[in-house]
Amino acid sequence: MRYLKSIVSVLVIATAMACSNKPEEAGIINTDNLMIRMAEIEIDSAYLSEYLAILKEESAASVALEPGVISIYPMFQKENPTQIRLLEIYADKAAYEAHLETPHFKKYKTETMHMVKSLALIDMAAIDPESMPRLFSKLPN
């Protein structure tokens, strides 16, 4: 019976949060504070396979382990796979700064430094911040 009461309590709280008019009470990130960045990286072709494996591991760990990391979405140019782009979205600047101190980011940075020919970090702003909370909700599982 206690177990059932606990489940009911959790459901009541979750429903109240979901129906709240305040986004922060419903667990929605304030889009005004988002830090959005594009990273443009050129990789030495001799290291491309190794770099991609390390990047894939780091980006997955960042999203899975860090609540403030909304996206680290790696891509490459179809015509030139050594040209890597990352869409990085953080809940805020503090989340980005915390990300830089994580063991998985430090490992990535250390292990790939010699593979990177160029790196540009470009700060961006959302054109439609109201749609940001639904950014990846339409992707199929």
Side-chain angles (χ1 to χ4, degrees):
M1 187 66 158
R2 283 187 184 158
Y3 179 72
L4 183 57
K5 285 181 182 179
S6 296
I7 291 174
V8 170
S9 295
V10 169
L11 290 174
V12 167
I13 291 168
T15 302
M17 287 177 70
C19 294
S20 171
N21 290 327
K22 297 180 180 177
E24 61 277 4
E25 289 179 11
I28 298 172
I29 292 171
N30 181 352
T31 57
D32 295 338
N33 296 330
L34 290 177
M35 182 177 168
I36 306 168
R37 172 174 279 172
M38 287 296 296
E40 296 181 348
I41 307 166
E42 182 179 2
I43 302 303
D44 183 324
S45 60
Y47 298 105
L48 185 58
S49 294
E50 184 181 357
Y51 176 83
L52 293 177
I54 294 168
L55 174 60
K56 186 175 177 181
E57 180 181 310
E58 194 284 328
S59 61
S62 297
V63 173
L65 300 174
E66 299 177 62
V69 174
I70 297 166
S71 167
I72 296 186
Y73 190 77
M75 302 165 273
F76 63 88
Q77 292 180 11
K78 287 183 176 183
E79 298 291 321
N80 189 356
T82 62
Q83 294 293 319
I84 307 296
R85 301 296 182 262
L86 304 175
L87 170 60
E88 301 180 33
I89 305 174
Y90 303 91
D92 52 32
K93 185 172 172 104
Y96 169 71
E97 291 170 355
H99 167 69
L100 297 179
E101 297 302 318
T102 61
H104 50 269
F105 177 78
K106 288 180 177 182
K107 177 183 175 194
Y108 158 79
K109 198 70 174 169
T110 301
E111 291 183 2
T112 63
M113 193 171 293
H114 67 284
M115 302 174 188
V116 176
K117 292 173 76 174
S118 67
L119 167 65
L121 301 175
I122 304 162
D123 290 326
M124 306 294 286
I127 292 172
D128 182 11
E130 291 79 24
S131 68
M132 292 296 287
R134 298 183 304 275
L135 186 63
F136 297 110
S137 66
K138 294 183 119 182
L139 285 176
N141 290 328

